């Protein structure tokens, strides 16, 4: 299974030449965001690669929040990432059909709960900036607050009804990308984010935090 998962993973190095735009502001985590995130963590979560169980984060309560916020601030402002956050326990989940075929198993990566909380904070920040600057296409329904598959279906149905009422032609193109997540050129994506003004000017060396 490892050989199969590695074979469909994209490692493209042809990154477009885009001039990065860095922010000189110091990143500061909002305490209330960490507090809300900890409340959503289930108590029965398994222990992840960093060895920190969900119970510790839940029982730590308010005393834990300032330290988690400080850890994120150090991580972002110094362009570093703890080594344990890069590790994952990959669990293959059977999707259907032949169980003897590796292509019928979806890999689920179990990563650090602390890292997931940090990812949630950073993702929320980027989404807010993009929404404020109106950088997202109005037809983008996935991965946006207030949008979902339902809102997408409603929009498509309304377009069809409008075309029928106006007796106009409506063309529909449906594309299903195979292994879309695995084949996403991550270096290209990071380069585009960097060029959008969300890169942090600091030491970009790949190092850990002890």
């Amino acid at each position: 299974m490892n050989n199969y998962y590695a074979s469909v993973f994209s490692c493209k190095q042809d990154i477009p030449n885009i001039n990065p735009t860095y922010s000189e502001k110091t990143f500061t985590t909002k305490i209330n965001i960490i507090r809300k995130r900890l409340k959503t963590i289930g108590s029965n979560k398994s222990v992840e690669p960093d060895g920190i169980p969900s119970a510790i984060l839940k029982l730590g309560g308010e005393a834990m929040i300032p330290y988690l916020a400080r850890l994120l601030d150090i991580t972002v402002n110094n362009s570093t990432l703890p080594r344990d956050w890069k590790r994952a326990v990959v669990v293959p989940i059977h999707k259907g059909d032949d169980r003897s075929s590796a292509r019928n198993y979806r890999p689920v990566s179990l990563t650090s709960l602390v890292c997931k909380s940090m990812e949630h904070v950073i993702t929320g920040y980027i989404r807010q900036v993009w929404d404020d600057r109106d950088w997202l296409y109005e037809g983008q329904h996935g991965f946006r607050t207030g949008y979902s598959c339902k809102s997408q279906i409603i929009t498509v149905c309304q377009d069809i009804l409008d075309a029928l009422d106006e007796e106009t032609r409506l063309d529909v193109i449906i594309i299903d990308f195979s292994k879309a997540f695995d084949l996403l050129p991550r270096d290209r994506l990071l380069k585009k984010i960097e060029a959008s003004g969300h890169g942090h000017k600091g030491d970009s060396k790949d190092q850990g935090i002890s």
Side-chain angles (χ1 to χ4, degrees), residues 67-94:
Y67 294 99
L68 292 176
R70 177 57 179 160
L71 178 59
L72 176 58
D73 291 344
I74 293 175
T75 299
V76 175
N77 293 318
N78 291 281
S79 300
T80 59
L81 195 68
R83 293 185 183 92
D84 285 341
W85 290 8
K86 302 177 185 179
R87 300 173 57 201
V89 176
V90 180
V91 179
I93 304 298
H94 185 239

Short mmCIF file of all heavy atoms in Angstrom, two decimals, residues 67-94:
data_model
loop_
_atom_site.label_atom_id
_atom_site.label_comp_id
_atom_site.label_asym_id
_atom_site.label_seq_id
_atom_site.Cartn_x
_atom_site.Cartn_y
_atom_site.Cartn_z
N TYR A 67 -0.34 28.63 26.36
CA TYR A 67 0.86 27.94 25.90
C TYR A 67 0.70 27.47 24.45
O TYR A 67 1.65 27.52 23.66
CB TYR A 67 1.16 26.74 26.80
CG TYR A 67 1.54 27.15 28.22
CD1 TYR A 67 0.59 27.11 29.24
CD2 TYR A 67 2.83 27.59 28.51
CE1 TYR A 67 0.92 27.50 30.53
CE2 TYR A 67 3.17 27.98 29.80
CZ TYR A 67 2.21 27.93 30.81
OH TYR A 67 2.55 28.32 32.07
N LEU A 68 -0.49 27.02 24.10
CA LEU A 68 -0.75 26.61 22.72
C LEU A 68 -0.67 27.82 21.78
O LEU A 68 -0.13 27.73 20.67
CB LEU A 68 -2.12 25.94 22.61
CG LEU A 68 -2.27 24.59 23.31
CD1 LEU A 68 -3.71 24.10 23.19
CD2 LEU A 68 -1.32 23.56 22.71
N ALA A 69 -1.23 28.94 22.22
CA ALA A 69 -1.18 30.16 21.42
C ALA A 69 0.26 30.63 21.23
O ALA A 69 0.67 31.03 20.14
CB ALA A 69 -2.01 31.26 22.08
N ARG A 70 1.06 30.55 22.30
CA ARG A 70 2.46 30.95 22.22
C ARG A 70 3.23 30.03 21.29
O ARG A 70 4.08 30.49 20.52
CB ARG A 70 3.07 30.91 23.63
CG ARG A 70 4.56 31.25 23.68
CD ARG A 70 4.85 32.61 23.12
NE ARG A 70 6.27 32.94 23.20
CZ ARG A 70 6.86 33.86 22.47
NH1 ARG A 70 6.15 34.55 21.57
NH2 ARG A 70 8.15 34.11 22.60
N LEU A 71 2.93 28.74 21.32
CA LEU A 71 3.59 27.77 20.45
C LEU A 71 3.32 28.08 18.99
O LEU A 71 4.22 28.02 18.14
CB LEU A 71 3.12 26.36 20.79
CG LEU A 71 3.68 25.22 19.92
CD1 LEU A 71 5.20 25.20 20.00
CD2 LEU A 71 3.10 23.88 20.34
N LEU A 72 2.08 28.44 18.67
CA LEU A 72 1.74 28.79 17.29
C LEU A 72 2.45 30.06 16.86
O LEU A 72 2.96 30.15 15.73
CB LEU A 72 0.23 28.95 17.14
CG LEU A 72 -0.24 29.41 15.75
CD1 LEU A 72 0.22 28.43 14.68
CD2 LEU A 72 -1.76 29.55 15.72
N ASP A 73 2.50 31.05 17.74
CA ASP A 73 3.18 32.30 17.41
C ASP A 73 4.65 32.05 17.08
O ASP A 73 5.20 32.60 16.12
CB ASP A 73 3.06 33.29 18.57
CG ASP A 73 1.64 33.79 18.76
OD1 ASP A 73 0.82 33.61 17.83
OD2 ASP A 73 1.34 34.33 19.84
N ILE A 74 5.31 31.21 17.88
CA ILE A 74 6.72 30.89 17.65
C ILE A 74 6.88 30.17 16.32
O ILE A 74 7.79 30.45 15.54
CB ILE A 74 7.27 30.03 18.80
CG1 ILE A 74 7.31 30.84 20.10
CG2 ILE A 74 8.67 29.51 18.46
CD1 ILE A 74 7.72 30.02 21.30
N THR A 75 5.97 29.23 16.06
CA THR A 75 6.04 28.44 14.83
C THR A 75 5.92 29.30 13.59
O THR A 75 6.71 29.18 12.65
CB THR A 75 4.92 27.37 14.83
OG1 THR A 75 5.09 26.50 15.94
CG2 THR A 75 4.96 26.55 13.55
N VAL A 76 4.94 30.19 13.56
CA VAL A 76 4.71 31.03 12.38
C VAL A 76 5.77 32.11 12.23
O VAL A 76 6.34 32.29 11.15
CB VAL A 76 3.30 31.66 12.44
CG1 VAL A 76 3.11 32.62 11.28
CG2 VAL A 76 2.23 30.59 12.43
N ASN A 77 6.06 32.82 13.30
CA ASN A 77 6.99 33.95 13.21
C ASN A 77 8.43 33.55 12.97
O ASN A 77 9.24 34.36 12.50
CB ASN A 77 6.88 34.80 14.49
CG ASN A 77 5.54 35.49 14.61
OD1 ASN A 77 5.01 36.02 13.63
ND2 ASN A 77 4.96 35.49 15.80
N ASN A 78 8.78 32.29 13.29
CA ASN A 78 10.13 31.82 13.06
C ASN A 78 10.23 30.86 11.87
O ASN A 78 11.30 30.31 11.60
CB ASN A 78 10.67 31.13 14.31
CG ASN A 78 10.92 32.09 15.45
OD1 ASN A 78 11.92 32.80 15.49
ND2 ASN A 78 9.98 32.14 16.38
N SER A 79 9.09 30.67 11.19
CA SER A 79 9.07 29.79 10.01
C SER A 79 9.64 28.41 10.32
O SER A 79 10.46 27.87 9.59
CB SER A 79 9.84 30.42 8.84
OG SER A 79 9.29 31.66 8.48
N THR A 80 9.22 27.85 11.44
CA THR A 80 9.69 26.53 11.85
C THR A 80 8.50 25.62 12.11
O THR A 80 7.36 26.09 12.22
CB THR A 80 10.54 26.61 13.13
OG1 THR A 80 9.74 27.20 14.18
CG2 THR A 80 11.79 27.43 12.92
N LEU A 81 8.77 24.34 12.21
CA LEU A 81 7.71 23.38 12.47
C LEU A 81 8.27 22.24 13.31
O LEU A 81 9.29 21.64 12.94
CB LEU A 81 7.15 22.82 11.16
CG LEU A 81 5.82 22.09 11.24
CD1 LEU A 81 4.70 23.06 11.59
CD2 LEU A 81 5.50 21.40 9.92
N PRO A 82 7.66 21.92 14.44
CA PRO A 82 8.13 20.80 15.26
C PRO A 82 8.17 19.51 14.46
O PRO A 82 7.27 19.24 13.66
CB PRO A 82 7.09 20.73 16.39
CG PRO A 82 6.54 22.12 16.48
CD PRO A 82 6.52 22.62 15.06
N ARG A 83 9.19 18.71 14.65
CA ARG A 83 9.35 17.48 13.88
C ARG A 83 8.17 16.53 14.06
O ARG A 83 7.77 15.85 13.12
CB ARG A 83 10.65 16.79 14.28
CG ARG A 83 11.90 17.57 13.90
CD ARG A 83 13.16 16.78 14.21
NE ARG A 83 14.36 17.56 13.91
CZ ARG A 83 14.99 18.32 14.79
NH1 ARG A 83 14.52 18.41 16.02
NH2 ARG A 83 16.07 18.99 14.44
N ASP A 84 7.63 16.46 15.26
CA ASP A 84 6.51 15.54 15.52
C ASP A 84 5.27 15.90 14.71
O ASP A 84 4.42 15.05 14.47
CB ASP A 84 6.15 15.53 17.02
CG ASP A 84 7.16 14.76 17.85
OD1 ASP A 84 7.90 13.96 17.24
OD2 ASP A 84 7.21 14.94 19.07
N TRP A 85 5.17 17.15 14.30
CA TRP A 85 4.01 17.58 13.53
C TRP A 85 4.08 17.09 12.09
O TRP A 85 3.08 17.12 11.38
CB TRP A 85 3.90 19.10 13.54
CG TRP A 85 3.50 19.66 14.88
CD1 TRP A 85 3.39 18.98 16.05
CD2 TRP A 85 3.17 21.02 15.17
NE1 TRP A 85 3.02 19.83 17.06
CE2 TRP A 85 2.88 21.08 16.56
CE3 TRP A 85 3.11 22.18 14.41
CZ2 TRP A 85 2.51 22.28 17.18
CZ3 TRP A 85 2.75 23.36 15.03
CH2 TRP A 85 2.45 23.41 16.40
N LYS A 86 5.25 16.67 11.66
CA LYS A 86 5.43 16.19 10.29
C LYS A 86 5.19 14.68 10.17
O LYS A 86 5.20 14.15 9.07
CB LYS A 86 6.83 16.52 9.80
CG LYS A 86 7.17 18.00 9.84
CD LYS A 86 8.61 18.24 9.41
CE LYS A 86 8.99 19.70 9.57
NZ LYS A 86 10.39 19.95 9.18
N ARG A 87 4.99 14.04 11.29
CA ARG A 87 4.79 12.60 11.30
C ARG A 87 3.30 12.28 11.30
O ARG A 87 2.47 13.06 11.78
CB ARG A 87 5.44 11.97 12.53
CG ARG A 87 6.94 12.19 12.63
CD ARG A 87 7.48 11.70 13.95
NE ARG A 87 7.16 10.29 14.16
CZ ARG A 87 7.13 9.70 15.35
NH1 ARG A 87 7.36 10.41 16.44
NH2 ARG A 87 6.85 8.42 15.45
N ALA A 88 2.95 11.12 10.75
CA ALA A 88 1.54 10.71 10.69
C ALA A 88 1.45 9.19 10.71
O ALA A 88 2.34 8.49 10.21
CB ALA A 88 0.87 11.25 9.44
N VAL A 89 0.39 8.71 11.30
CA VAL A 89 0.07 7.28 11.25
C VAL A 89 -0.98 7.12 10.15
O VAL A 89 -2.09 7.65 10.27
CB VAL A 89 -0.49 6.77 12.59
CG1 VAL A 89 -0.90 5.31 12.47
CG2 VAL A 89 0.54 6.94 13.69
N VAL A 90 -0.62 6.44 9.08
CA VAL A 90 -1.51 6.30 7.93
C VAL A 90 -2.34 5.02 8.07
O VAL A 90 -1.78 3.92 8.16
CB VAL A 90 -0.71 6.27 6.61
CG1 VAL A 90 -1.66 6.12 5.42
CG2 VAL A 90 0.12 7.53 6.46
N VAL A 91 -3.65 5.20 8.08
CA VAL A 91 -4.57 4.07 8.21
C VAL A 91 -5.35 3.93 6.90
O VAL A 91 -6.05 4.86 6.49
CB VAL A 91 -5.56 4.29 9.38
CG1 VAL A 91 -6.51 3.12 9.48
CG2 VAL A 91 -4.80 4.48 10.68
N PRO A 92 -5.24 2.79 6.21
CA PRO A 92 -5.99 2.57 4.97
C PRO A 92 -7.44 2.21 5.25
O PRO A 92 -7.72 1.29 6.02
CB PRO A 92 -5.24 1.41 4.30
CG PRO A 92 -4.63 0.66 5.44
CD PRO A 92 -4.31 1.67 6.50
N ILE A 93 -8.37 2.94 4.64
CA ILE A 93 -9.80 2.69 4.82
C ILE A 93 -10.37 2.13 3.52
O ILE A 93 -10.23 2.76 2.46
CB ILE A 93 -10.55 3.99 5.20
CG1 ILE A 93 -9.93 4.60 6.47
CG2 ILE A 93 -12.03 3.69 5.41
CD1 ILE A 93 -10.02 3.72 7.69
N HIS A 94 -11.01 0.98 3.59
CA HIS A 94 -11.56 0.35 2.39
C HIS A 94 -12.74 1.15 1.85
O HIS A 94 -13.68 1.47 2.59
CB HIS A 94 -12.01 -1.09 2.71
CG HIS A 94 -12.48 -1.85 1.51
ND1 HIS A 94 -13.75 -2.39 1.43
CD2 HIS A 94 -11.87 -2.15 0.34
CE1 HIS A 94 -13.89 -3.00 0.26
NE2 HIS A 94 -12.76 -2.87 -0.42
#
